[in-house]
Amino acid sequence: RSGNKNRQRSIPFRLEQQLTKKERTTKLPLVGALVHKALQVRNSDNHFVATTSTTAKQQQFEADTNSDKNAISSMVLPFGLGPDGHNVDAIQSAPAPSAPPAHLVAPPLYARGQTNIYTGVPIIVNPYIDFIVVNGDDRYMIRCERKSVLERSVELAKLIHAGPNSGRKSDNHFQILNVDKNDFELIVRYMEKHFIRYRDHKHLLKILELSDRFNVPDLIIYCIRELDLSISSATALDIYKALWFYQGIALTNQHQTVITTQETAQQQARKQASKAKAAAKQLAAAQAQAHDGADGDGAQVNLIPNPNPFTTEDYGVALLHNTLQLIDMHAELLLSMPAICDLRFEELETLAKRDTLQLRSELTLFECLANWSLAECGRKNLDATPENRRTVLGPLCLTPRYLRMTPSEFRRCCDRLELLPPLEISLISDALEGKKLKNLTDQQTELLEKFRAPRAEYARMPVHLSDRSSPKNYPKKMRLAHEGRATEEGCWEKVGINCLRVFVCIFD
């Protein structure tokens, strides 16, 4: 209201008292709102009476006291609280808080970092998330536990931390594209229950591919162990085609150790000597692989896996090694199957160049190459002439050990398909018939030695990934050959049985 600015405003005492902040008369946690109000009215009335005359103050105080007694007597007070509101029993009986304040409680692991920057109070995160699997016009929602997904999948955790991708900021939905909804739901349920249901080895290979896409290490190792258990002559080629790319993955170094105890100089010298021998063996194996794979664009012939797999890559290499080991043991059967013609050139090259193929005759490998060349010419729309068939085979024409055949088998091969030039064919025929070869070049001598080299007597031992690949399931001679020891047993290795045989012969 307009007026003189120097004029002092006169505010009634009652209004000024209501506008000023009132002090809390008690700190009891269990005092009710009615008791607070009654005590505040008594204090305000006492302060007003002090400003009046002494006689009016006494009369007003008696009237207020009577009114307070009547008001308190008409209220229902809490248990153990007197009319004055300051009973000691009520203070002692007040329950203490059983938890610290909310801003002092540490948030759970999946909610770390999601706190209010102004108050420090953690934001309550929804314990469930929804994945929307999008396949064209089809939409399928899968609800799962947020904590399980964040702890077990690297790629899905990155997707969740990046925020919802459905277009709404406060949404709890995350879109997954180009994936089968049933297989993706199996992966999500495995993160929660550590169990998965699959139909056969092909379905398990699809789940392994998805688990590798979303980087779920536990599920990858689980699928590899289950696949190792199901390897057989009927499933080996399917598993081999799915895991062929693992042969180019480098393995972890298992010879790096940390010395945590004090050792003598002699023990350290022994360990260094053993490490040097292991390094020399690895170097020799690498050189042999490089020499054997020089003709086939660096393809690994004899894959050396990690005997104690640790990472998911190590498990993949070990499963590929176990699959190739079973193919070596049943090479006669698997190289004769029609499914061998569906392999790519690189996959067939890896099989044909293995030294551990258990073949009764090299004629089996020759027939396999001849059938594959015919199928490859059909896939490339080429005429099945001998020149085209030799062209699609390339360096694989030299993989059979021709000098390990009989003369009749070699003539049968040449009648079906001539994989070698006429000069090499005549040289091999003369060598098989026992004729003396003269005026040979270095290249021809090396080629004849390669054709004459025998294959390994036993296949390599598999890596123990399941009950199927346990070393107890394989003969002792095979284990000894894998360790590089002699497989022939002397007479002193079975003294007891030999003595028993002698006594049987004497008293028979």
Side-chain angles (χ1 to χ4, degrees):
R1 194 172 53 172
S2 61
N4 188 2
K5 64 179 181 179
N6 296 322
R7 183 178 65 85
Q8 295 182 356
R9 292 179 295 177
S10 59
I11 302 176
F13 178 77
R14 286 283 185 180
L15 181 60
E16 184 179 3
Q17 187 179 14
Q18 294 177 4
L19 293 177
T20 56
K21 186 177 180 181
K22 300 177 182 179
E23 295 181 0
R24 188 172 178 178
T25 58
T26 179
K27 296 182 180 180
L28 296 178
L30 296 180
V31 176
L34 296 176
V35 177
H36 280 289
K37 187 174 181 180
L39 296 177
Q40 289 174 2
V41 170
R42 186 185 64 181
N43 293 339
S44 61
D45 291 342
N46 291 339
H47 182 70
F48 176 76
V49 170
T51 58
T52 58
S53 60
T54 304
T55 56
K57 178 179 178 180
Q58 293 177 355
Q59 295 175 0
Q60 185 67 25
F61 179 76
E62 292 176 357
D64 292 339
T65 303
N66 295 330
S67 62
D68 290 341
K69 290 181 180 179
N70 295 332
I72 294 175
S73 61
S74 63
M75 290 188 297
V76 180
L77 299 178
F79 177 77
L81 184 64
D84 55 353
H86 295 280
N87 194 348
V88 181
D89 297 335
I91 299 176
Q92 295 178 354
S93 62
S98 59
H103 65 278
L104 297 179
V105 179
L109 294 177
Y110 60 87
R112 294 288 173 85
Q114 303 182 15
T115 55
N116 193 327
I117 61 175
Y118 300 103
T119 61
V121 179
I123 301 174
I124 299 176
V125 183
N126 191 347
Y128 297 97
I129 56 177
D130 298 329
F131 287 111
I132 308 298
V133 180
V134 181
N135 287 320
D137 297 335
D138 187 16
R139 300 290 189 274
Y140 186 75
M141 188 182 74
I142 301 173
R143 175 162 292 180
C144 59
E145 296 179 359
R146 178 189 294 266
K147 181 179 179 181
S148 301
V149 175
L150 291 178
E151 289 179 352
R152 293 176 177 84
S153 176
V154 178
E155 296 299 327
L156 293 179
K158 291 180 182 179
L159 179 65
I160 294 173
H161 289 312
N165 53 4
S166 60
R168 292 171 288 186
K169 295 183 179 179
S170 60
D171 202 352
N172 199 33
H173 298 167
F174 300 89
Q175 292 184 2
I176 304 295
L177 306 177
N178 301 326
V179 66
D180 185 78
K181 58 183 181 181
N182 297 323
D183 294 342
F184 183 76
E185 186 173 6
L186 287 177
I187 293 177
V188 170
R189 297 301 170 233
Y190 176 82
M191 298 180 195
E192 298 176 344
K193 303 178 182 178
H194 298 278
F195 180 76
I196 193 170
R197 293 182 179 273
Y198 59 90
R199 297 185 297 272
D200 52 5
H201 69 283
K202 293 184 178 181
H203 187 207
L204 196 58
L205 286 172
K206 291 182 180 180
I207 297 174
L208 177 61
E209 182 183 357
L210 280 181
S211 60
D212 183 70
R213 171 183 169 184
F214 296 108
N215 199 351
V216 188
D218 296 341
L219 182 56
I220 293 175
I221 296 175
Y222 177 84
C223 292
I224 286 176
R225 290 184 180 277
E226 292 295 324
L227 285 171
D228 182 78
L229 190 63
S230 62
I231 294 178
S232 64
S233 57
T235 63
L237 290 179
D238 294 333
I239 298 175
Y240 168 66
K241 289 189 291 184
L243 301 176
W244 176 84
F245 66 93
Y246 271 106
Q247 69 173 348
I249 296 179
L251 300 178
T252 57
N253 188 5
Q254 294 296 317
H255 298 283
Q256 295 178 355
T257 56
V258 180
I259 299 176
T260 56
T261 58
Q262 296 181 356
E263 299 178 351
T264 62
Q266 187 177 5
Q267 291 176 348
Q268 292 181 359
R270 289 178 182 175
K271 286 192 175 183
Q272 290 178 359
S274 62
K275 288 181 181 180
K277 290 181 181 179
K281 288 183 181 179
Q282 283 188 348
L283 181 60
Q287 291 178 356
Q289 286 184 2
H291 177 70
D292 294 337
D295 299 334
D297 299 332
Q300 293 188 7
V301 180
N302 294 321
L303 189 67
I304 300 178
N306 188 349
N308 299 314
F310 178 72
T311 62
T312 56
E313 289 79 8
D314 291 346
Y315 275 93
V317 173
L319 179 60
L320 177 60
H321 169 77
N322 291 358
T323 307
L324 291 174
Q325 188 267 346
L326 188 133
I327 294 176
D328 291 341
M329 293 184 63
H330 304 278
E332 288 284 344
L333 174 62
L334 289 170
L335 293 182
S336 303
M337 294 177 64
I340 201 73
C341 298
D342 298 333
L343 298 179
R344 298 184 297 113
F345 176 80
E346 295 81 3
E347 298 168 350
L348 181 64
E349 182 184 20
T350 302
L351 295 181
K353 288 189 174 183
R354 290 185 65 81
D355 296 332
T356 52
L357 290 174
Q358 304 297 298
L359 296 173
R360 294 182 223 168
S361 173
E362 295 291 328
L363 186 62
T364 305
L365 180 58
F366 183 89
E367 294 288 341
C368 173
L369 296 178
N371 295 333
W372 186 89
S373 63
L374 186 62
E376 185 68 12
C377 289
R379 285 190 290 264
K380 292 186 176 181
N381 297 325
L382 299 175
D383 295 334
T385 60
E387 292 78 10
N388 291 337
R389 296 175 72 174
R390 285 194 296 266
T391 302
V392 296
L393 284 173
L396 297 184
C397 297
L398 305 177
T399 51
R401 313 287 171 91
Y402 294 102
L403 293 180
R404 308 296 298 180
M405 298 180 182
T406 61
S408 60
E409 289 177 348
F410 182 71
R411 284 193 298 268
R412 195 189 315 166
C413 293
C414 294
D415 292 340
R416 179 177 180 182
L417 179 65
E418 294 182 357
L419 295 181
L420 299 176
L423 181 59
E424 277 74 9
I425 291 176
S426 62
L427 287 176
I428 293 174
S429 299
D430 294 342
L432 288 175
E433 293 175 359
K435 297 180 179 180
K436 189 175 181 180
L437 304 177
K438 297 180 180 179
N439 301 327
L440 297 179
T441 62
D442 296 339
Q443 185 178 4
Q444 291 176 347
T445 304
E446 183 180 357
L447 189 62
L448 291 177
E449 290 179 357
K450 180 180 179 181
F451 291 158
R452 193 179 288 109
R455 297 187 183 273
E457 185 179 3
Y458 297 98
R460 296 181 61 88
M461 288 291 295
V463 181
H464 188 191
L465 296 179
S466 64
D467 294 338
R468 186 202 65 83
S469 55
S470 176
K472 299 179 180 179
N473 299 331
Y474 297 88
K476 182 179 179 181
K477 291 183 178 181
M478 189 173 175
R479 296 197 298 266
L480 294 177
H482 177 75
E483 296 173 0
R485 295 170 8 184
T487 57
E488 296 182 359
E489 297 178 350
C491 61
W492 289 102
E493 295 186 6
K494 294 185 177 181
V495 178
I497 190 67
N498 292 335
C499 294
L500 182 61
R501 288 174 180 174
V502 170
F503 280 105
V504 170
C505 292
I506 292 175
F507 296 102
D508 191 2

